[in-house]
Amino acid sequence: MANAGCGSPATILFLFLFQAALQKGAAQYPVVSQNLATDNVSVVEGEMAIISCRVKNNDDSVIQLLNPNRQTIYFRDMRPLKDARFQLVNFSENELRVSLSNVSLSDEGRYVCQLYTDPPQEAYADITVLIPPGNPIIEARDEVLSEGNETEMTCTAMSSKPAAAIRWMKGDKELPGKPKVELTYDRMYTVSSRLAFTVSKEDDGVPVVCIVDHPAVKDFQAQKYLEVQYKPEVKIVVEFPQGLTREGENLELTCQAKGKPQPQRVNWVKVDDDVPSHAVITGGDLYIENLNKSYNGTYRCVAANAVGESYDDYILYVYDTAPSTEPAAHDSRAGEGTPRTVDHAVIGGVVAVVVFAMLCLLIVLGRYFARHKGTYFTHEAKGADDAADADTAIINAEGGHTNSDEKKEYYI
């Protein structure tokens, strides 16, 4: 569309008079209409804002855009205001859309979309200018810390609008801070947050992060790594022997010490006694040859640095010499001279078979004797059953025969 910002004097005079009439009517009869719509705008300082005046049902009425001082920015598609940062984006009977580039804090305020009807209709668009804070700054009370001590940190985000919010993270854990907000003379906000916490040796090398939340910026943060000193961690490692310590064997122990700062040397002592005179101590290693029971006791490795001292103990108990498991020297055959193992399951099976066989034998013999005893009594009584009287029965029972059955033999 053509821009009439530099039109003829007559055109400018007409616009001026028309604007005055509109302003007078609007001042007397301001009406907020649902037929006219616009939107609030939030814009970061230095960027571009878009203001849109939209008409749902237009009857060829004039539409214009006014600044917070109610000066006409655009009258239809003409710009009476001599501010080149305002540019026409779109003009139709249903919309007037204008852009404002390089927005500054002075541009903030309420802009008016006005439809010249009787009475005039108005809608309001509030422009809010966002000003991001400067780079956050972390200040630490202590540069080097010792485990168990408390420290403080302060994070500051300056000159923002609106006020920023500050969060703290130590590693992956969020910590609560104490915020403080100050309003400066130029309507800006300076926000600071103070964090206090106690450190441990696990915090060494862990980052403490100050995170600034503001609608004008994302992922705005600063961090500081903790440096924590701690006393040594001491551990005794048995290099030899791997099993029980027995008389005549050798013992080798290694003392491992780690701290910050690193301990320069370690000491070996025997609790409540002296270290054997022939023991060899080289750095963190303790070596004792030809052990015997007089060496029993607690051996302690002590390590120290600027923070403190730590130790670890090893209790030595010397056992008797292990018995020999080798076969007799005069017998070279493998397996000889060692006790034979007996399979108890085989023995049990043999005993069970023998018992079963004996039971079967007893049953067979019992049945045999019972059968023959019954037959004997039957033959004894057979003659008595056939006798005619008692005398004859006695004779027959004793093995005799009746006269009628007796056979006679003759010899010639």
Side-chain angles (χ1 to χ4, degrees):
M1 296 291 180
N3 193 322
C6 298
S8 63
T11 303
I12 295 175
L13 178 62
F14 170 76
L15 291 175
F16 175 78
L17 295 175
F18 193 81
Q19 175 185 348
L22 289 175
Q23 290 178 351
K24 182 178 180 181
Q28 293 177 353
Y29 310 105
V31 175
V32 178
S33 173
Q34 294 182 353
N35 188 43
L36 189 61
T38 186
D39 302 304
N40 294 329
V41 180
S42 293
V43 58
V44 178
E45 183 182 36
E47 297 184 359
M48 177 182 291
I50 300 294
I51 306 172
S52 175
C53 301
R54 300 180 299 278
V55 182
K56 295 182 180 179
N57 299 305
N58 194 357
D59 54 357
D60 294 331
S61 298
V62 175
I63 183 172
Q64 66 173 353
L65 176 64
L66 310 178
N67 67 12
N69 296 323
R70 299 193 71 88
Q71 296 172 330
T72 301
I73 301 172
Y74 263 90
F75 177 83
R76 297 175 62 89
D77 59 347
M78 295 178 290
R79 176 170 54 83
L81 191 66
K82 295 181 179 180
D83 188 344
R85 295 181 304 146
F86 291 97
Q87 294 294 322
L88 184 65
V89 177
N90 181 54
F91 172 73
S92 67
E93 64 178 7
N94 297 109
E95 183 185 34
L96 172 62
R97 190 188 311 168
V98 176
S99 66
L100 171 60
S101 59
N102 194 21
V103 176
S104 66
L105 188 59
S106 61
D107 296 321
E108 192 173 66
R110 171 165 290 187
Y111 290 73
V112 182
C113 293
Q114 191 176 77
L115 187 65
Y116 190 63
T117 57
D118 188 15
Q121 303 176 38
E122 292 184 351
Y124 308 103
D126 291 326
I127 290 184
T128 301
V129 179
L130 307 176
I131 301 178
N135 292 330
I137 300 172
I138 293 182
E139 296 178 343
R141 186 183 66 185
D142 308 294
E143 292 298 326
V144 180
L145 302 162
S146 296
E147 63 173 334
N149 290 348
E150 185 179 82
T151 188
E152 289 185 2
M153 291 186 178
T154 301
C155 181
T156 304
M158 302 178 64
S159 301
S160 68
K161 180 180 177 297
I166 295 178
R167 295 181 292 120
W168 290 96
M169 296 291 292
K170 186 183 73 171
D172 57 356
K173 181 180 180 181
E174 185 169 353
L175 299 179
K178 294 183 179 180
K180 181 181 178 181
V181 180
E182 296 179 355
L183 179 61
T184 60
Y185 68 93
D186 53 356
R187 295 189 297 166
M188 299 292 183
Y189 294 91
T190 295
V191 181
S192 61
S193 179
R194 185 173 64 89
L195 176 67
F197 60 98
T198 301
V199 297
S200 64
K201 62 184 179 183
E202 289 78 15
D203 292 327
D204 183 47
V206 174
V208 176
V209 184
C210 165
I211 304 173
V212 178
D213 295 325
H214 192 272
V217 291
K218 293 181 179 179
D219 299 328
F220 211 36
Q221 61 184 31
Q223 66 181 13
K224 186 176 183 63
Y225 288 90
L226 295 173
E227 183 176 352
V228 182
Q229 294 185 342
Y230 52 92
K231 62 184 181 180
E233 298 174 322
V234 183
K235 181 182 179 182
I236 295 176
V237 178
V238 180
E239 302 291 348
F240 184 84
Q242 297 300 321
L244 299 177
T245 52
R246 299 187 181 276
E247 287 186 312
E249 294 183 339
N250 300 330
L251 175 67
E252 183 178 355
L253 304 177
T254 297
C255 180
Q256 298 177 348
K258 177 185 177 183
K260 189 173 183 178
Q262 185 68 19
Q264 297 300 316
R265 60 189 299 267
V266 298
N267 294 325
W268 282 98
V269 298
K270 186 178 181 183
V271 179
D272 300 330
D273 202 350
D274 295 330
V275 176
S277 58
H278 71 283
V280 178
I281 299 176
T282 305
D285 296 336
L286 172 65
Y287 184 76
I288 304 176
E289 291 183 336
N290 195 20
L291 294 173
N292 61 61
K293 291 183 180 294
S294 65
Y295 299 154
N296 288 348
T298 302
Y299 291 79
R300 175 172 295 175
C301 172
V302 183
N305 60 11
V307 181
E309 181 180 282
S310 301
Y311 64 87
D312 190 21
D313 288 340
Y314 172 78
I315 299 176
L316 173 63
Y317 184 84
V318 180
Y319 290 84
D320 294 332
T321 304
S324 177
T325 57
E326 296 180 357
H330 66 276
D331 197 343
S332 60
R333 290 176 295 175
E336 293 286 329
T338 59
R340 298 177 180 272
T341 58
V342 180
D343 194 336
H344 296 284
V346 174
I347 295 176
V350 172
V351 172
V353 172
V354 171
V355 172
F356 180 74
M358 292 179 66
L359 289 175
C360 292
L361 182 59
L362 291 175
I363 293 172
V364 172
L365 291 176
R367 292 176 61 86
Y368 175 79
F369 285 124
R371 183 180 299 115
H372 283 73
K373 185 176 180 181
T375 305
Y376 170 78
F377 286 127
T378 301
H379 286 289
E380 287 289 325
K382 184 175 181 182
D385 293 339
D386 298 334
D389 52 28
D391 294 335
T392 305
I394 293 173
I395 295 172
N396 290 340
E398 293 177 353
H401 301 278
T402 58
N403 293 331
S404 59
D405 295 332
E406 185 179 5
K407 294 181 179 181
K408 295 180 180 180
E409 296 179 0
Y410 298 94
Y411 298 91
I412 303 175

